[in-house]
Amino acid sequence: MVGKSLAVLMIGFSLFWSVASWAQDAATAPEPAAAELKIANRSIMVFRSALLGETPETRVKRAKTAINEALDDADDPRVSLDAIQTSYLVLIGSKRAFIVSPKDVDASEFESVRQAADSAADNLRQVVSETQEARNFRLILRALAMAALATGIYVALLWGMAFLRQRMLRKLPELMHRHTQALKVGRVQVIDANYLYPLVSRLLGVLRWLVVLLLTYEWLGFVLSRFPYTRPWGESLNNYLLEVFAYLLQGIVGAIPGLGVALAIFFIARGATAFSRRILRRMAMPGTFSWLNQETLQPTQRLTSLAIWLFALAMAYPYLPGAGTDAFKGLSVLIGLMISLGASSVVGQAAAGLILTYTRTLRPGEFVRIGEYEGTVTELGMFTTRIRTGLGEVLTLPNSMITGTVTKNYSRTVQGAGYVVDTVVTIGYDTPWRQVEAMLLEAARRTSGVLEDPPAQVFQTALSDFYPEYRLVAQAIPSQPRPRAVLLSMLHANIQDVFNEHGVQIMSPHYLGDPQQEKWVPKDKWYTAPAQPPQEL
């Protein structure tokens, strides 16, 4: 008796250990792969868990067999639900189709097991209805007729598009020529029809292919939806097109408020720019501000407009469509990096241009010498300055180079408009300085283009070891826009003529020893012609 009890105890312990091992293996076993149940090319539901020892794949095979047998045995099988504790049994006729368990429910799609079971039952009812439709010869003939009619309409539309395209291409040159003739600025035609025709024809071709693709898409979706087996494909095509259209429409509608705010900021910035220009024009009137005049008015207006528009762009940026996307942010960072790396020299040139403008170092029309370049300033820009040399060359100089070198302005020291003309000659000490001065002034009077008032002046700028240095300084006539090089050439020619007339050599003497006779000018020769003695009062 004791041995029998011991044997029963051992068997119970073995069963307990087996059950515990099975429970532990079940707890540590990996989740089985989900399997989709499809009947007649239509998805009914997805099994995500094992049930009663059957994997999702096995459950799918068993459900397919049961549903196909029910469809073959009954003419009108009825789909119903039966609750089993927390699960639901889906019946087709009197046979079990499958079971919907709580672990099969996707929480992102359904809120409860009942809702998932109802959805699976509805899909199965649709399969039953489409199976009956596929077995009805009259309905199949009707679907074929509808597909043929749709195909005929599709072909007719394609032919009509081709016909309209040919007619439009024949009439397009005439229409373009007629309308482009009206687009003129003065006598200049803005758009040439010969260049516009290829562009318009290509745009029409792209539009034609887009319409063809859309018609083909709709035709294919309609034809596939006529037949039970291909109906899921047609529905997916139509749903995808509707989803795309809804997405685009939602994006457009969602972007309208932001675009409205951005447009309001644009118009406010435009009005602020016009108002600032009027204010600056009033402030530039004489006697208002010393730093703001007609010369600095235009760059000041540009700077003010740039500041206003940059502020408006910063304010409108968050309201632009797609401003919050990663692509838009990445593009903005890339553009900012490119500008920061490549605009250092541009910013330096612009800063130099502002310095030249507001310090009034240069003005258009002034004759200047910048380093080794000499000419008349024709344009003072934000980044570069243009000067016209005496040889007719137009030089474009960077503003940073001008601010970094010595600039000689020959027009600032003159009386009124014009510029200074000067030249240097060196004559020996044996020639009276009064005679040299008189001859230089005579040459200046003979030069056409040199002002008589203020009169020319001669300065002895140096008493060198071998000769004195004479500098003739005169002012050019501003009404005669003769290049400075031409005027200097005429002045030099007259100096040579005057010196030759009075027998004075233009030379710079050098010697190796003392001369036999002293090199000095007696007093009776101080006023040698053309020099004139001072009149006694």
Side-chain angles (χ1 to χ4, degrees), residues 3 13 18 23 51 58 70 83 85 120 149 201-202 216 293 298 304 328 356 358 366 377 390 404 415 443 516 533:
F13 180 76
S18 298
L51 184 65
T58 305
Q85 293 183 355
L149 179 61
S201 61
R202 291 176 183 175
T216 304
N293 50 30
Q298 186 175 3
T304 306
F328 202 96
L356 293 177
Y358 286 99
E366 293 182 341
V377 178
Q415 299 180 7
Q516 295 180 357

Side-chain angles (χ1 to χ4, degrees), residues 10-27:
M10 293 296 294
I11 292 173
F13 180 76
S14 298
L15 291 174
F16 175 76
W17 181 260
S18 298
V19 172
S21 300
W22 176 82
Q24 183 178 4
D25 294 339

Side-chain angles (χ1 to χ4, degrees), residues 397-413:
L397 306 178
N399 288 335
S400 59
M401 188 204 78
I402 300 175
T403 56
T405 188
V406 177
T407 301
K408 295 182 180 180
N409 197 321
Y410 295 100
S411 300
R412 291 293 175 89
T413 59

Side-chain angles (χ1 to χ4, degrees), residues 39-99:
I39 302 295
N41 202 28
R42 184 174 292 280
S43 177
I44 296 178
M45 75 164 296
V46 178
F47 296 125
R48 294 181 171 82
S49 64
L51 184 65
L52 300 178
E54 295 181 349
T55 63
E57 293 185 0
T58 305
R59 295 175 63 190
V60 168
K61 292 179 182 179
R62 185 181 295 276
K64 282 185 177 180
T65 302
I67 293 172
N68 289 329
E69 290 179 355
L71 292 176
D72 292 338
D73 295 343
D75 295 334
D76 187 13
R78 181 173 175 271
V79 179
S80 59
L81 289 176
D82 191 4
I84 304 177
Q85 293 183 355
T86 58
S87 302
Y88 285 87
L89 177 63
V90 180
L91 301 173
I92 177 169
S94 59
K95 295 183 178 181
R96 184 193 74 176
F98 52 86
I99 298 176

